[in-house]
Amino acid sequence: MQDAVLAMLAKEPSHGYLLRERLRRALGPLGESMNAGQVYVTLTRLEKAGLVASERAEGLPERPDRKVYALTPAGQRRVAAWLSEVSWPKPNLAEFHLKLAAAAAGRLADPVELVDAQRRELMRRLGEAQRAMLAEPDGSTAGLLLEGVALRLQADLRWLEACERVWSKVVDESEDA
């Protein structure tokens, strides 16, 4: 969650309510259960870590003053590192989805290139798992675990194919606009 919030701030400084709405929109139905306080707790932690800075912005007559958060140089470096990271064996699909959405929204990176980098890492790991499976005797429990790893990687690769199809269209549409 922290990295997604930082990446959303890479586009422009924002207050917590707007960040929460961007995250909810990016997650679609999965974002409906997002706790409103989660974004504010995350922002407080990021500020304590020196990754964001805040300042008070004057509110409208019907709204109180709000804190507006912006990335610090350390926050910008962390966003860049997060965008270049490929995470497996435990990819979090929602986090990866937010990475793609934030990269596209902030024009931080090409989402299709991020999908491709993730695919290369999964293909490398699938090859390792398949080679290890071949080295195991038939019926071994280690072979069963390796088969599970290979099946999970194959499923993740299929999902990345779907990501590439959708994000390729999104990128093409934004270039045409």
Side-chain angles (χ1 to χ4, degrees):
M1 176 67 144
Q2 288 186 358
D3 291 316
V5 168
L6 286 171
M8 292 287 181
L9 286 171
K11 180 179 181 184
E12 62 190 352
S14 184
H15 54 82
Y17 179 80
L18 184 57
L19 284 171
R20 180 174 165 248
E21 288 306 307
R22 285 184 191 155
L23 289 167
R24 288 179 70 187
R25 274 196 310 268
L27 289 171
L30 295 175
E32 295 302 317
S33 63
M34 183 183 298
N35 179 343
Q38 187 176 4
V39 171
Y40 294 101
V41 169
T42 300
L43 286 167
T44 299
R45 289 181 180 154
L46 292 170
E47 191 169 25
K48 286 180 182 175
L51 299 171
V52 300
S54 69
E55 59 181 50
R56 289 264 175 215
E58 289 186 31
L60 300 172
E62 66 276 0
R63 292 185 180 165
D65 289 349
R66 295 183 174 187
K67 272 187 168 182
V68 175
Y69 296 87
L71 288 181
T72 63
Q76 292 169 345
R77 287 189 297 275
R78 179 152 164 191
V79 169
W82 182 61
L83 290 172
S84 65
E85 168 187 281
V86 287
S87 58
W88 206 92
K90 55 177 186 104
N92 180 323
L93 299 184
E95 181 181 337
F96 187 70
H97 175 78
L98 286 173
K99 181 187 288 192
L100 299 176
R107 299 187 188 277
L108 305 170
D110 180 348
V112 176
E113 289 178 15
L114 296 176
V115 168
D116 193 46
Q118 186 74 18
R119 178 187 302 110
R120 284 191 306 273
E121 177 62 13
L122 295 185
M123 291 295 293
R124 184 184 70 75
R125 298 214 183 222
L126 178 59
E128 288 175 356
Q130 289 172 332
R131 284 188 295 280
M133 278 174 46
L134 292 173
E136 286 296 315
D138 286 341
S140 77
T141 57
L144 180 62
L145 175 60
L146 289 166
E147 182 179 357
V149 167
L151 290 170
R152 169 69 191 269
L153 285 164
Q154 291 167 354
D156 288 349
L157 285 165
R158 284 194 303 278
W159 182 69
L160 287 175
E161 288 172 12
C163 289
E164 182 177 34
R165 281 192 306 275
V166 170
W167 282 103
S168 291
K169 289 178 188 174
V170 169
V171 169
D172 288 345
E173 290 170 1
S174 70
E175 289 174 354
D176 292 339

